[in-house]
Amino acid sequence: MKKILQEFKQFAMRGNVVDMAVGVIIGGAFSKIVSSIVADLIMPPIGLLVGGMNFSELKVTLKDSVMDNGTEVSPAITLNYGNFIQVTLDFVIIALAVFLLIKAINALNRTKKEEPKAPAAPPADIQLLTEIRDLLKKEN
């Protein structure tokens, strides 16, 4: 049992696992930001353009609620396609943001790779011969 715990500790503390955990946590926070952007900034103008419609409230009622003496006995059964539209837009915006981020990272990596490298120093015997040649040129 102690060996298994030790192996798990080694696994959990490897750099890749910790990096992945940080990525998941930041991704969750990023998802909330994107959801807010979509729900609070993008969808209201789109709803205004299509006649003041709130997409999250769009639904088709499959069965009305059953009422008995003013109390609801069973709730209405609805198909909430407005929420689907909202979640789909969230996904598209998150996917676009990740695409642009990856594209920027790849562009940075490309510029790093394209920087010219300094030429490799010639072997010592070639350097010596070059110095001798240069000295002979100066004497003539």
Side-chain angles (χ1 to χ4, degrees), residues 21 23 31 46 50 63 93 98 114:
S31 174
I46 291 174
V50 293
K63 180 182 173 193
I93 290 173
V98 169
E114 291 174 2

Side-chain angles (χ1 to χ4, degrees), residues 20-30:
M20 186 176 69
V22 169
V24 168
I25 292 168
I26 290 176
F30 183 70

Side-chain angles (χ1 to χ4, degrees), residues 40-62:
D40 301 330
L41 300 177
I42 294 175
M43 292 308 286
I46 291 174
L48 185 63
L49 288 174
V50 293
M53 204 181 305
N54 183 356
F55 281 92
S56 62
E57 295 177 3
L58 294 176
K59 60 186 170 187
V60 173
T61 303
L62 300 175

Side-chain angles (χ1 to χ4, degrees), residues 19-20 43 70 87 110 118 128:
D19 291 344
M20 186 176 69
M43 292 308 286
V87 171
R110 218 175 291 122
L128 182 61

